[in-house]
Amino acid sequence: MVPNVMCLIQPADPPCPVCVQSLSLPPEQNPNYRCNTSLLIDYCQSNGKHSYIVIDVGKTFRETVLRWFTFHKIPRVDSIILTHEHADAVLGLDDIRAVQPFSPTNDIDPTSIYLSRHSLDSISEKFPYLVEKKRKEGAEIRRVAQLDWKIIEDDCNKPFIASGLKFIPLPVMHGEDYICLGFLFGGKSRVAYISDVSRIPPSTEHLISISGAGQLDLLMLDALYKTGSHNVHLCLPQTLETLKRLRPKRALLIGMTHEFDHHKDNEFLKDWSKREGIPVQYAYDGLRVPVNL
């Protein structure tokens, strides 16, 4: 997330220019203010009906709703998909009730939420009141988010349907001791979203590579730091090498720290894109990308 809190409460001399600038403009004019990484899919089906599918609801989910659901006139959430169970992906689950119809007795249709068994087990400890199906005898009714938990597999051969759209899980390594999920979706256009990754296994890479199952129309990919490497995330050098292997038609980089100044660093990516023939830029909060799914 940007700004980095330490840059504000213990400012350097001179102060961090990205963090200072990130608080100086309203959000729709400020690509350097970044909440937890997330994706909203506005899926228009053949009958004209819109379904709204959210991938990940992290610590800043409520802030994201206030900033961007209102700006883009998003009326509801129909389905939720979780990449993993870390704080930046799930700690907004309690706030799902804010985008559900009001009922003091919880008498509403639950929102479908797709996640791995491991993620559900972890969330059951973090949010037992969201997972438990029955109240204990004598317990008061309290209004909480109503969620219909649906287990998906860490297996690219086991797709699932969320609100009418087919998703293929993309298992990736988020550190060598942890499997996180990306997702491949879209029939007319092939789109992949991989937010938390340090290494893409060969079977997953085959599905999203131009030399494997076919070229992606759009890839959204992790890029934590500008230089060096990290044990649980791709950093820019590894991200760009990955793009050269996969060769999507277009790429958006996500998950950047305050090292990245959106405007200045996109100039570098413009030059890289021309040289490599892969259009790539840094994403920003509120970015809307038309895609024919």
Side-chain angles (χ1 to χ4, degrees):
M1 296 183 293
V2 180
N4 183 309
V5 171
M6 289 300 290
C7 288
L8 302 180
I9 66 173
Q10 294 184 14
D13 185 17
C16 171
V18 172
C19 290
V20 170
Q21 188 272 331
S22 71
L23 292 181
S24 66
L25 294 170
E28 65 274 13
Q29 301 172 24
N30 192 349
N32 278 330
Y33 189 103
R34 299 190 270 272
C35 291
N36 289 136
T37 303
S38 181
L39 178 68
L40 169 69
I41 302 167
D42 176 356
Y43 175 48
C44 184
Q45 302 185 51
S46 57
N47 60 6
K49 177 185 175 183
H50 286 256
S51 295
Y52 301 95
I53 306 161
V54 174
I55 300 180
D56 284 346
V57 287
K59 294 178 285 186
T60 56
F61 174 70
R62 183 176 186 275
E63 183 178 358
T64 299
V65 170
L66 292 174
R67 286 177 180 271
W68 300 114
F69 280 44
T70 55
F71 184 81
H72 289 303
K73 297 180 171 57
I74 305 301
R76 64 184 183 275
V77 172
D78 293 305
S79 297
I80 299 164
I81 302 172
L82 298 181
T83 58
H84 63 315
E85 42 74 42
H86 289 166
D88 59 346
V90 307
L91 285 194
L93 283 170
D94 183 79
D95 289 314
I96 296 300
R97 65 177 175 168
V99 295
Q100 291 182 325
F102 176 80
S103 169
T105 60
N106 299 316
D107 186 22
I108 61 171
D109 291 331
T111 302
S112 295
I113 179 163
Y114 299 83
L115 73 171
S116 69
R117 168 56 65 182
H118 172 76
S119 291
L120 181 58
D121 290 343
S122 175
I123 289 168
S124 296
E125 297 180 1
K126 294 181 178 77
F127 296 105
Y129 60 93
L130 295 180
V131 178
E132 292 170 356
K133 297 296 184 183
K134 293 183 179 180
R135 285 185 296 117
K136 295 178 181 178
E137 186 176 349
E140 293 285 355
I141 296 175
R142 289 176 168 82
R143 182 181 172 231
V144 298
Q146 296 301 294
L147 303 171
D148 182 14
W149 304 94
K150 297 181 180 294
I151 299 299
I152 58 175
E153 301 292 331
D154 297 341
D155 188 338
C156 55
N157 294 309
K158 294 186 177 179
F160 63 96
I161 305 293
S163 296
L165 185 60
K166 179 181 176 181
F167 289 84
I168 297 174
L170 299 174
V172 297
M173 304 313 297
H174 185 21
E176 288 303 309
D177 61 346
Y178 190 92
I179 295 176
C180 184
L181 292 178
F183 297 98
L184 174 66
F185 58 93
K188 298 172 185 174
S189 299
R190 300 180 79 234
V191 181
Y193 178 83
I194 305 176
S195 61
D196 293 74
V197 55
S198 54
R199 181 174 63 84
I200 302 177
S203 57
T204 296
E205 188 161 309
H206 176 82
L207 265 183
I208 56 176
S209 171
I210 190 172
S211 62
Q215 188 174 32
L216 292 174
D217 292 280
L218 174 63
L219 171 61
M220 290 160 276
L221 187 61
D222 195 9
L224 185 67
Y225 293 139
K226 267 190 187 182
T227 59
S229 61
H230 192 273
N231 61 323
V232 299
H233 287 275
L234 293 179
C235 296
L236 185 61
Q238 299 93 51
T239 301
L240 296 180
E241 287 301 314
T242 301
L243 292 181
K244 287 195 284 187
R245 292 198 313 273
L246 301 180
R247 303 206 66 81
K249 292 180 182 178
R250 181 183 179 187
L252 293 168
L253 306 189
I254 56 179
M256 298 80 66
T257 66
H258 67 139
E259 288 185 323
F260 295 85
D261 181 294
H262 181 85
H263 299 293
K264 291 180 180 178
D265 289 305
N266 260 329
E267 290 301 313
F268 165 79
L269 287 184
K270 278 185 183 179
D271 293 337
W272 188 91
S273 297
K274 290 178 184 177
R275 187 169 66 250
E276 299 295 338
I278 306 171
V280 55
Q281 63 180 344
Y282 294 105
Y284 56 88
D285 285 24
L287 173 63
R288 193 164 195 166
V289 183
V291 176
N292 188 5
L293 297 176

